[in-house]
Amino acid sequence: MSLERRMWSLFEPVHAVTYFSSQAGPIFEAAGLRGFWRRYFAGRAAPLGTVTAGPVIAAFFGFSPAMVTRAFPDVWTRITPSAATEARLEGARVALAEICGDLELTEAADLLETAARQIDLPGRTLAAAYADLPWPGDDAGRLWHAATLLREHRGDGHVAALLTAGLDGCESLVLRDAIEGGRLRTSMQAARGWTDEEWQAGAERLTERGWVGSDGSVTVTGSRTYAGVEAQTDRLAQAPWQRTGAQATERCAAAMQPIVDRLLPLIPADNPGALPSLA
């Protein structure tokens, strides 16, 4: 596992408490927003402001445009971006405090914040939006915000890598499902809103390219393409760790590990985020 991928496997579970912890949902509901997907779309897109569907379709990439269009701009009639941002942070803060309250968070928050402040912003739409938010003053909040900045920085780079490889949002999921032997289609297709017809059309396009066989299995060429995308994603995520330095990065990894050990049980094994430690 590359250094960039290893660090991703450590900060992604911290970010993911906003989706998978029991503490996050009620705080959104108290702010006036019900439903998992309303919380997801409003919370994640909130730093972009009161955007309509177009920018979210672009930034969220793997989601079907129809699913995004159902959420935007309707979600802003239910909650403001500022309220969604506050609810999301508070939910993560409460979750981390309850799950990891007996652990030392200060060192991990300090080191992860150092790395997150080193991200490069040009071409990174979501990361740049999050970088404009004020830093929380508490350790749990700082830890979550730093993890989220690094996560969206990596995600923006991943979208660039997928586009460079010639993959659209649906095709990227079909190819990953083929790599995983078909075990993820049920969860991923539903989670990203693609219809059976759209999924099948994506599979046919990949078959025409020679990346997926007619039986849905990945070909050698498809495996190489997928590996190339992942390697490029890692390369595009190098900057914060290079600028932080090897010694501080290693200290960060060590400080994060006990926190992540607490959080991993929250995350489903078939999570769409493709955490390497759960694949």
Side-chain angles (χ1 to χ4, degrees):
M1 187 184 296
S2 68
L3 171 65
E4 299 79 24
R5 190 161 296 259
R6 177 190 176 202
M7 298 311 295
W8 170 44
S9 74
L10 294 170
F11 65 70
E12 179 78 12
V14 175
H15 167 77
V17 297
T18 188
Y19 308 126
F20 300 118
S21 71
S22 61
Q23 294 84 0
I27 291 175
F28 262 113
E29 290 181 6
L33 199 63
R34 293 183 176 274
F36 177 87
W37 287 112
R38 287 195 184 112
R39 298 196 301 266
Y40 179 94
F41 282 120
R44 191 176 175 209
L48 297 171
T50 52
V51 290
T52 52
V56 183
I57 291 169
F60 288 20
F61 192 74
F63 285 87
S64 76
M67 187 175 184
V68 176
T69 300
R70 285 195 295 272
F72 294 94
D74 173 75
V75 74
W76 303 133
T77 68
R78 304 168 188 271
I79 195 169
T80 65
S82 61
T85 297
E86 291 170 8
R88 196 176 193 222
L89 174 60
E90 184 61 18
R93 179 186 281 132
V94 171
L96 289 170
E98 292 188 13
I99 299 167
C100 305
D102 60 328
L103 298 177
E104 171 57 53
L105 300 184
T106 302
E107 183 181 19
D110 287 346
L111 292 164
L112 205 66
E113 178 179 343
T114 296
R117 288 183 180 275
Q118 303 298 318
I119 63 172
D120 46 324
L121 298 183
R124 317 271 185 159
T125 302
L126 275 175
Y130 277 90
D132 273 355
L133 298 178
W135 277 87
D138 61 298
D139 289 342
R142 288 192 302 124
L143 183 66
W144 184 80
H145 185 59
T148 299
L149 270 170
L150 289 163
R151 191 256 194 181
E152 298 298 4
H153 175 267
R154 182 182 176 88
D156 287 338
H158 186 55
V159 170
L162 289 166
L163 288 170
T164 301
L167 289 158
D168 64 24
C170 186
E171 291 166 357
S172 70
L173 300 179
V174 174
L175 183 58
R176 182 183 159 209
D177 180 56
I179 290 284
E180 296 288 345
R183 70 180 182 87
L184 296 181
R185 176 178 177 177
T186 299
S187 60
M188 288 200 308
Q189 183 181 345
R192 297 296 181 256
W194 300 100
T195 66
D196 286 339
E197 293 75 16
E198 290 167 333
W199 189 277
Q200 182 59 36
E204 290 173 359
R205 292 193 297 273
L206 294 182
T207 299
E208 291 172 2
R209 293 179 216 167
W211 295 358
V212 172
S214 58
D215 60 353
S217 62
V218 70
T219 65
V220 172
T221 303
S223 292
R224 289 174 179 165
T225 299
Y226 184 86
V229 167
E230 295 301 303
Q232 179 70 352
T233 300
D234 285 348
R235 286 192 290 271
L236 292 172
Q238 286 176 349
W241 310 111
Q242 289 177 336
R243 294 166 185 166
T244 299
Q247 185 176 8
T249 297
E250 201 55 44
R251 284 172 50 215
C252 183
M256 293 286 294
Q257 191 61 62
I259 299 168
V260 171
D261 290 342
R262 291 282 183 88
L263 299 176
L264 281 178
L266 297 175
I267 304 173
D270 60 350
N271 70 95
L275 270 171
S277 57
L278 299 179

